[in-house]
Amino acid sequence: MTDIQTRTLATPEVDLVYDVRGAFPPVGGLPVLVMIGQPMTADGFVALAEHFGDRTVVTYDPRGLGRSVRKDGREEHTPQDQAADLHQLIGALRVGPVDVFASSGGAVTALELVAKYPEDVRTLVAHEPPINSVLPDAEAADRARAGFYEAYQAKGAGAGMATFIVMTSWQGEFTDAFFAQPAPDPAMFGMPADDDGKRDDPLLSKKSWPITDYQPDADALKAAPTRIVIAVGEETQDAYTARTAHGVAKLLGQEATVFPSHHGGFLGGEFGYAGKPAEFAAKLREVLEIS
């Protein structure tokens, strides 16, 4: 297993904790590979990073999540803040331009990074960015999002997460049939129905709504020197994040590139959401080597 160096970049707004795997400074002529998520922290990339032992890999905990303690007095998680943090991190490491694999909300952050700081990234692989505005049923997607938020507020994390899973598993547009469904039982997904009283979950609260409310700057992204690859999991089929991936790809005038597995296809089994990390890594390596 590759040795991991854990470091902290202290800025006025956050103490940003990140991990470096492999040689640093990097050797072999390959760019540093940065892996990012949202609200996923560095822990989510352990299985994937193990398949890139020949490269220097950097993972991090976004502002206000995991080990990265924010000092800005705010709670919302915005792509603009996260992109600014990554820009500072890449600058502090003095290793740009980097390659970026970005998952879910991290893919939204990465799109903002490329739009605002295009010289930072050589290749971006943005895997299933959840952006409501690119959907033909954007208003219904906003309503579906409000549904899991309201379930969380009313009954706690189990109810909120169960409603979230039903939303993100739904195939196709959010129709009347979707909204007519009864509230799901958390036990269906192996979760307790007990309410612990907390309402600060970054996924189920409104803290991450700026992620799904994001408006991509298509002109800036198209003008950037960065090679942008929008990725979609073959098993996600026509669910929410597959549809948003295809929507972003269309916005950029391209077709989404199909990756193995599903939205968490790069995960090992430690999160109870196991994907196919070896197959996923092989596809990611193939895509990055085209650059």
Side-chain angles (χ1 to χ4, degrees):
M1 181 177 293
T2 304
D3 290 338
I4 301 174
Q5 301 177 49
T6 298
R7 304 177 180 182
T8 301
L9 174 64
T11 77
E13 296 192 342
V14 61
D15 290 333
L16 201 69
V17 179
Y18 63 99
D19 301 314
V20 180
R21 291 172 171 81
F24 194 85
V27 296
L30 291 172
V32 167
L33 175 56
V34 179
M35 299 180 177
I36 63 175
Q38 170 73 32
M40 181 177 286
T41 60
D43 290 346
F45 297 98
V46 172
L48 183 60
E50 288 179 353
H51 292 279
F52 288 88
D54 59 329
R55 297 186 64 156
T56 302
V57 176
V58 173
T59 58
Y60 88 124
D61 292 355
R63 178 188 301 212
L65 297 170
R67 302 161 295 173
S68 292
V69 179
R70 65 190 310 165
K71 300 179 287 188
D72 58 1
R74 295 158 46 212
E75 293 188 341
E76 73 276 13
H77 303 292
T78 75
Q80 293 79 14
D81 287 341
Q82 308 292 13
D85 291 343
L86 281 169
H87 173 63
Q88 290 194 70
L89 177 57
I90 293 167
L93 292 173
R94 301 181 185 277
V95 294
V98 300
D99 286 342
V100 176
F101 169 71
S103 166
S104 194
V108 182
T109 293
L111 290 169
E112 173 68 7
L113 176 68
V114 170
K116 291 291 176 61
Y117 310 103
E119 301 299 331
D120 282 357
V121 184
R122 183 189 74 150
T123 298
L124 164 62
V125 179
H127 186 249
E128 300 194 4
I131 300 173
N132 289 359
S133 65
V134 301
L135 296 175
D137 56 330
E139 291 186 6
D142 287 347
R143 181 183 171 193
R145 178 184 64 179
F148 72 74
Y149 166 76
E150 290 163 3
Y152 177 52
Q153 291 300 309
K155 297 183 179 180
M161 184 56 71
T163 308
F164 173 80
I165 293 172
V166 168
M167 172 197 166
T168 54
S169 301
W170 181 262
Q171 297 293 310
E173 296 188 12
F174 296 112
T175 61
D176 291 343
F178 171 80
F179 295 107
Q181 298 177 103
D185 181 353
M188 295 168 51
F189 304 101
M191 294 179 294
D194 296 342
D195 185 352
D196 62 8
K198 296 180 180 179
R199 296 294 186 272
D200 58 354
D201 186 278
L203 181 63
L204 302 176
S205 68
K206 289 186 176 182
K207 292 181 179 181
S208 293
W209 280 27
I211 299 288
T212 47
D213 283 339
Y214 182 69
Q215 300 284 335
D217 187 337
D219 290 340
L221 292 169
K222 291 177 181 178
T226 305
R227 174 172 169 257
I228 300 173
V229 178
I230 305 300
V232 64
E234 62 181 347
E235 295 175 21
T236 315
Q237 298 179 331
D238 199 28
Y240 167 69
T241 52
R243 295 196 302 119
T244 58
H246 288 297
V248 174
K250 182 178 180 181
L251 187 70
L252 300 181
Q254 61 176 262
E255 296 288 332
T257 298
V258 178
F259 270 62
S261 198
H262 45 60
H263 189 64
F266 54 90
L267 292 170
E270 64 274 21
F271 288 87
Y273 192 51
K276 300 175 181 177
E279 294 91 334
F280 197 99
K283 182 63 177 182
L284 178 57
R285 185 180 295 277
E286 172 192 318
V287 170
L288 292 175
E289 288 178 354
I290 293 173
S291 301

